[in-house]
Amino acid sequence: MDLRASLEADCTPDTLFEWVGGLDTYDRWLEIVPRTTDAEPIDGDPGPAWHVTLRGRLGPLARSKRLRMVRTEHTRPVGEVPGCAVFERRETDGREHATWRLTATVEPTATGSCLVMDLHYGGSLWVPLLDRVLTSEIEASRQRLRALVET
């Protein structure tokens, strides 16, 4: 599953990047992420790691998943150069896991900044539920994130 979402906001790219460049803020604006905590770093992690709890509900069905995500790229926006943060699933249990990759790119616009988020999920578990939950959550999260960065 590959999903792309975007947001235009009346703020500087640096302000917007502060909210999407580290996973520790996602639980404040993304309802399907009710909790993020710092994860113990391991050798080979190129950046900080977080335990991210994902929770989705569709009618009577609810699912939760806990992922260990590591920031593998981090470039702050400077002038006209976009900022980019990439987070990838890196578990420590020695088992094979489905790929999760989230890319957040922030660039300047004439009136503020634009965020483009790309999510790749390489598994097959929950795909119908996940797709529906994410689609409805994107609209609500746009409003919450915009309210945070434009105040």
Side-chain angles (χ1 to χ4, degrees):
M1 179 181 74
D2 291 293
L3 186 65
R4 173 172 274 192
S6 62
L7 163 80
E8 295 214 10
D10 186 18
C11 66
T12 66
D14 196 51
T15 298
L16 185 51
F17 195 74
E18 285 295 318
W19 285 94
V20 298
L23 293 176
D24 52 332
T25 62
Y26 281 53
D27 56 356
R28 295 196 43 210
W29 60 271
L30 193 57
E31 192 171 289
I32 61 169
V33 178
R35 184 170 187 198
T36 60
T37 57
D38 293 340
E40 193 67 32
I42 61 167
D43 288 340
D45 282 349
W50 294 269
H51 290 293
V52 178
T53 301
L54 300 175
R55 184 174 303 135
R57 177 176 293 281
L58 187 61
L61 300 174
R63 295 273 183 165
S64 290
K65 181 78 175 166
R66 187 171 183 224
L67 307 171
R68 182 179 182 275
M69 299 291 288
V70 176
R71 188 169 61 201
T72 58
E73 294 180 38
H74 186 255
T75 307
R76 297 188 74 74
V78 178
E80 297 299 312
V81 177
C84 182
V86 179
F87 307 94
E88 297 183 51
R89 184 180 191 181
R90 292 201 177 171
E91 302 292 351
T92 59
D93 60 7
R95 298 185 347 214
E96 286 286 319
H97 294 277
T99 301
W100 286 82
R101 182 179 310 108
L102 177 66
T103 303
T105 305
V106 176
E107 54 189 40
T109 66
T111 60
S113 55
C114 178
L115 166 66
V116 175
M117 296 193 87
D118 291 296
L119 174 66
H120 171 75
Y121 170 56
S124 58
L125 187 64
W126 331 344
V127 170
L129 175 65
L130 186 61
D131 187 41
R132 286 186 200 154
V133 168
L134 287 174
T135 300
S136 65
E137 174 61 18
I138 287 170
E139 274 310 308
S141 66
R142 278 188 183 116
Q143 300 309 316
R144 287 189 294 270
L145 182 56
R146 188 177 285 122
L148 288 166
V149 300
E150 291 183 351
T151 56

